[in-house]
Amino acid sequence: YPFYSQLNYMHAMEIYNGPFENNSHVYDDMLLLGRDIYCIGGDDSHSVDTSGHSWTMIKAAALDYRTVTKALMDGHFYASQGPEIFDLYVEDGMMHVTTSDAQEIHFVTAARAEEGKSVAAKEGQFLNEASFKILPESVYVRVVVVGPNGKTASTNAFATYDLLH
């Protein structure tokens, strides 16, 4: 097992670190190990010239310490290297997402083969929305948006049990 499989009691982990490091596989491993954990984007660059490659987009009613901290504790955020997620909701067992221009939108789950998990734009076009039928056996679902330049945005994982009940 990788070293991180021994880590417990973490609130969040860095799924993106700067322009090159994408830890999506580590995030999925942690979820499959039963960790209830969020994902964040960070950019610990030590130079102004190389900063601004990944960040955490927070949904908060106000830009003050208490409101932002509560949003972070409640999981009201997503990690991004550029793409934006404008809306994400569940209705009648379907997850719906609206995004900035995207080449692909993926619904990542614990199940290996499910219909409609990924949607790709036709050549020369972009996607701005996608939907996915949530199945209980999916265990969790999270959304990954791939922008026109290949950079991605990732939501936190949602337990399918919670979404369907």
Side-chain angles (χ1 to χ4, degrees):
Y1 288 99
F3 76 92
Y4 54 80
S5 67
Q6 305 302 311
L7 300 174
N8 294 302
Y9 312 110
M10 296 184 341
H11 177 73
M13 64 155 282
E14 198 172 58
I15 195 168
Y16 304 133
N17 181 320
F20 307 112
E21 193 168 342
N22 183 330
N23 292 310
S24 293
H25 66 286
V26 175
Y27 186 47
D28 286 316
D29 284 351
M30 295 294 277
L31 295 168
L32 290 170
L33 288 167
R35 304 302 193 274
D36 187 14
I37 189 170
Y38 297 127
C39 66
I40 59 171
D43 194 350
D44 61 359
S45 173
H46 300 272
S47 166
V48 174
D49 297 337
T50 59
S51 64
H53 294 284
S54 56
W55 53 88
T56 302
M57 296 289 288
I58 302 167
K59 182 178 180 180
L63 188 57
D64 62 66
Y65 178 81
R66 288 183 198 272
T67 307
V68 170
T69 302
K70 180 165 178 21
L72 287 169
M73 294 306 294
D74 292 344
H76 298 163
F77 58 89
Y78 65 92
S80 185
Q81 296 175 315
E84 294 180 86
I85 299 171
F86 301 127
D87 199 11
L88 178 66
Y89 64 95
V90 174
E91 184 175 76
D92 298 327
M94 297 284 292
M95 179 173 274
H96 306 276
V97 64
T98 306
T99 69
S100 58
D101 287 348
Q103 290 178 342
E104 302 168 1
I105 299 174
H106 304 280
F107 295 90
V108 179
T109 71
R112 292 198 181 269
E114 291 182 74
E115 293 288 321
K117 280 178 63 170
S118 297
V119 182
K122 294 180 180 171
E123 192 170 330
Q125 297 181 358
F126 297 113
L127 295 169
N128 295 103
E129 61 186 5
S131 298
F132 173 69
K133 181 174 176 36
I134 302 166
L135 302 174
E137 57 269 24
S138 299
V139 181
Y140 68 85
V141 62
R142 64 186 186 86
V143 178
V144 177
V145 179
V146 181
N149 56 5
K151 295 185 184 275
T152 60
S154 295
T155 68
N156 291 305
F158 302 93
T160 55
Y161 179 86
D162 294 338
L163 296 175
L164 295 173
H165 293 95

